[in-house]
Amino acid sequence: MDPIYLAGVNDPATYINWGWLSISVPNLIVILIMIVLFALAILLPFPKGRDRS
Amino acid sequence: MTADSPNPAVEPDNVQAVVDSPADVDTGSSVGLDPTVDPDPGIDPSSSMWTSRLRRAWMSKLPPDELLPDRQPAYVASWIYVFGVLTLAAFLVILVTGLVLAFAGPAWYHTSSPGLFTNSLHFWSVQLFFVFMVVHLWGKFWMAAWRGRRAMTWITGVVAFLASIGTAFTGYLVQTNFDSQWISFEAKDGLNAVGIGAFFNVANLGQMLLLHACLLPLVVGVIAVWHVLLVRSRGVVPPIDTVDTEFSVTPADGASATEVRP
Amino acid sequence: MTTRTADRAPAAKRADIASREWKGPWRRYDIVKEGVIALVVVSILTVLLAGLFSSPDEPPLTFQGWATSAPDNFYATAVQELAGTSTSAGYGPPYNTAADGISVGPLAPQQRFGVTHPVDAANDFVITPLRSQLQSADVTDALATWDSASSDQQTAWATDYDTALTDADGDATKVADGDYGPVPVLAQGLTDMASAGALDGILMSQGVFYQTDFTKQILFLGDGSYLDDAATAAHLQGNTWGMMNETGSYPGQAWLWLYSFWYQIPQFNSDNPDDYLTSHADAIIFYIMAVLSLVLLLLPFIPGLRSIPRWIPIHRLIWRDFYRTQPKS
Ligand code: HEM
């Protein structure tokens, strides 16, 4: 019944703390993915289409 | 083919002949005699009929080559433009997987592995949807994409974002698992404190289920369609600090040029 | 420089470029193909993620689970419901009139909208469920005693017992002698019912055939420590940014980060529950978020904020080809 779990996906997540601020690693990963996607979207060259005046 | 053929209508090739036959269609004999019947009124470009007006309004706001253009201004050349479409695509995947879940009912996925897999598809398409939407939002912010009568595009975008958050929130409440119990217990206090809890009861599964599976997706869908039609009708916003001279459009020297107001 | 430079063009015309039809160069762009590819890519990504990671699904807690794994806590909570000292018994609107609810300055919507989902903790959580089942003789007698007493008497028994039980650290065997009327027997009767699994079903039906409203169950469940402990174990508490967390190692509602962020600030989360910001956090944070949402909505009209993209020129990167290839005027 279980699909191909990556190990430990049902154990509680790890938390990162800075003083009173804390965040779960999976949430941090999602936020980092958004930032990376944004950076890539802006930096990667877009395929050239045929120009037309 | 003659008019007294026993059953001419069964031969599709002969339909025209049947219509042309005076014995079957009496308008044929009245052409030219009855002045109130116009054999081919055609399209009157200035007609005041409601239908004509609606068509003209539509055509002037969103003609087919603006609705489905096969070209874009040369400055539309960045991956950031793909994120609106990705958001839309993720929304479609959410709708399809959600329809399957809705059909089977909320308890299905606790007890069957196809159910759990469908729920996983729904869960991850929602995560993708928000990732794409947030990148899209950031992109539109840094492009100041509300310029030039595009404020409504921005506003419908923000409303779609807020409505999506409401949809996701009710989705977490109808999981009917421990997470739902905890979220409804916690969230009730915030909603009660501002009076919303009087009408929107997070512990009422029936209410949450109907909002999540029916009303809210409809709201997000309608607003998203409106949003995209606005983009099509306004065209993609030109780069900041661009001016047009008589013959061409060029970047301007620094800050002297366009303001970022809508 | 030609005669018509950008600098000399009338300001109104320059400002208006974005709202006029584009007169510059074009490129081929197949939006339908783009959309189809996007749909295929997103579908594949979704299937991959679902296949690899599945999705979180912790089974719901039950009253049976509570009463069997933490019988003392369940018993003490039942006493609090009778005494009116539980959180839900003293909640106020929209459940009852035991309190006024939160108001901030002149804003008192909680009180304004009144009781829309009535919950009578003692009767709904304890007395009615006990009465819905055939009980042993001592519970039947206790119910009869409870019913024939005045409400003052009922409250006196229950609050005295609640206090004594708290003094005995929740251990019913160590409670000091006193006049607690039928309260200990009622609480024990409910605990027995719950551990047998009967309470889940009875709270569910609540005397009607069709039922989709779980307000009473959620409130009762939250009055004890069982739900809270489970949430703490799963890192779902507010002070750990709980609103955007998820059970297991899954991402949660990351889009709620700003909403949950406020709850992490010590002033909204202080150890002294009487601190103004902490006791009013639910309302104040909601209002803050409402204002911030409005700011986002109306951003194009807010001077200063809307100019940030001008000042931090990320757009120069996005449109770098255009700025490079189009000659400056
Ligand atoms: C349901 C969520 C959304 C969907 C499906 C969606 C879809 C789209 C699509 C397909 C486009 C055109 C392609 C592109 O430029 O990416 C677009 C443009 C745009 N979107 Fe969204 N969007 C959503 C949410 C948002 C949000 C949250 C914002 C900002 C707050 C936003 C602001 C804009 C703006 C300003 C444009 C016009 C860009 C221009 O004229 O160049 N959208 N959107």
Side-chain angles (χ1 to χ4, degrees), chain A residues 37, chain B residues 79 81-92 128-129 132-133, chain C residues 34 37-39 41-42 45:
Chain A
L37 274 181
Chain B
W79 286 104
Y81 286 106
V82 175
F83 280 84
V85 178
L86 283 172
T87 314
L88 208 54
F91 184 59
L92 286 181
L128 290 172
F129 173 72
F132 295 146
M133 188 172 6
Chain C
E34 179 193 22
I37 294 176
L39 192 58
V41 168
V42 174
L45 266 179

Side-chain angles (χ1 to χ4, degrees), chain B residues 72 150 154 181 189 201 240, chain C residues 18 27 61 91 215 296 323:
Chain B
Q72 292 292 342
R150 287 175 185 80
W154 175 268
Q181 288 178 319
D189 297 332
N201 180 3
I240 299 178
Chain C
R27 74 196 315 252
L61 304 180
Y91 196 94
T215 309
L296 184 67
Y323 289 123

Side-chain angles (χ1 to χ4, degrees), chain B residues 169-251:
Chain B
F169 175 66
T170 51
Y172 279 85
L173 291 171
V174 302
Q175 293 175 99
T176 56
N177 59 17
F178 167 65
D179 204 32
S180 317
Q181 288 178 319
W182 177 248
I183 293 175
S184 52
F185 177 72
E186 280 284 276
K188 73 177 193 316
D189 297 332
L191 294 165
N192 289 338
V194 295
I196 295 176
F199 315 100
F200 176 87
N201 180 3
V202 287
N204 184 339
L205 178 68
Q207 187 187 15
M208 294 304 113
L209 195 56
L210 286 171
L211 285 175
H212 177 73
C214 177
L215 193 65
L216 288 172
L218 200 69
V219 169
V220 175
V222 166
I223 291 174
V225 167
W226 182 11
H227 178 74
V228 174
L229 290 182
L230 277 173
V231 178
R232 291 274 58 93
S233 90
R234 300 277 189 271
V236 179
V237 74
I240 299 178
D241 290 342
T242 307
V243 295
D244 60 349
T245 60
E246 202 166 357
F247 302 108
S248 70
V249 186
T250 51

Side-chain angles (χ1 to χ4, degrees), chain A residues 19-31:
Chain A
W20 48 264
L21 206 80
S22 78
I23 187 165
S24 82
V25 171
N27 278 341
L28 191 63
I29 292 176
V30 168
I31 291 170

Side-chain angles (χ1 to χ4, degrees), chain C residues 7-323:
Chain C
D7 293 330
R8 269 192 273 152
K13 187 177 181 193
R14 279 194 249 115
D16 203 28
I17 166 120
S19 56
R20 268 180 288 128
E21 207 188 327
W22 176 244
K23 297 208 224 77
W26 297 79
R27 74 196 315 252
R28 287 267 167 232
Y29 201 110
D30 193 342
I31 55 171
V32 172
K33 189 172 166 191
E34 179 193 22
V36 172
I37 294 176
L39 192 58
V40 171
V41 168
V42 174
S43 305
I44 292 175
L45 266 179
T46 307
V47 172
L48 280 180
L49 287 165
L52 275 177
F53 300 118
S54 185
S55 49
D57 191 20
E58 295 267 314
L61 304 180
T62 60
F63 287 93
Q64 185 175 25
W66 180 11
T68 45
S69 72
D72 288 352
N73 178 255
F74 183 89
Y75 181 89
T77 309
V79 173
Q80 287 174 11
E81 305 297 0
L82 288 175
T85 52
S86 71
T87 310
S88 34
Y91 196 94
Y95 309 123
N96 50 48
T97 51
D100 286 343
I102 296 180
S103 57
V104 176
L107 293 174
Q110 189 168 359
Q111 194 175 15
R112 167 77 184 72
F113 294 121
V115 178
T116 48
H117 315 296
V119 173
D120 170 354
N123 281 313
D124 290 344
F125 297 164
V126 185
I127 302 298
T128 307
L130 280 174
R131 213 181 272 133
S132 336
Q133 218 185 20
L134 202 58
Q135 299 287 358
S136 60
D138 59 337
V139 177
T140 312
D141 289 348
L143 277 173
T145 316
W146 178 267
D147 286 346
S148 56
S150 69
S151 77
D152 285 349
Q153 174 69 74
Q154 293 171 343
T155 312
W157 282 330
T159 45
D160 286 353
Y161 189 59
D162 183 27
T163 313
L165 191 62
T166 312
D167 292 344
D169 287 332
D171 186 344
T173 59
K174 301 214 174 79
V175 170
D177 287 345
D179 179 13
Y180 309 126
V183 171
V185 177
L186 294 174
Q188 189 55 48
L190 196 75
T191 311
D192 293 343
M193 242 178 101
S195 17
L199 188 59
D200 289 287
I202 283 173
L203 281 177
M204 176 72 220
S205 74
Q206 289 171 21
V208 292
F209 189 85
Y210 290 110
Q211 218 283 93
T212 59
D213 185 350
F214 291 74
T215 309
K216 288 170 185 163
Q217 287 97 313
I218 293 287
L219 287 181
F220 189 4
L221 198 63
D223 281 338
S225 61
Y226 187 57
L227 178 65
D228 200 62
D229 290 347
T232 305
H235 294 274
L236 299 181
Q237 296 286 2
N239 56 4
T240 52
W241 219 325
M243 207 187 316
M244 66 181 223
N245 292 344
E246 175 59 90
T247 54
S249 291
Y250 289 93
Q253 306 186 63
W255 46 92
L256 291 180
W257 73 273
L258 189 56
Y259 204 127
S260 5
F261 167 78
W262 299 101
Y263 283 96
Q264 294 219 12
I265 299 180
Q267 280 74 16
F268 285 118
N269 193 3
S270 107
D271 290 334
N272 178 3
D274 291 334
D275 281 356
Y276 186 81
L277 285 181
T278 298
S279 58
H280 292 69
D282 281 331
I284 293 174
I285 291 175
F286 188 96
Y287 294 137
I288 292 178
M289 287 308 293
V291 170
L292 289 180
S293 302
L294 213 59
V295 167
L296 184 67
L297 192 80
L298 300 177
L299 195 81
F301 305 99
I302 303 177
L305 282 185
R306 67 176 176 201
S307 299
I308 293 174
R310 281 279 300 286
W311 301 330
I312 306 176
I314 289 178
H315 62 272
R316 291 270 153 188
L317 279 173
I318 297 176
W319 289 307
R320 58 187 177 278
D321 284 353
F322 177 79
Y323 289 123

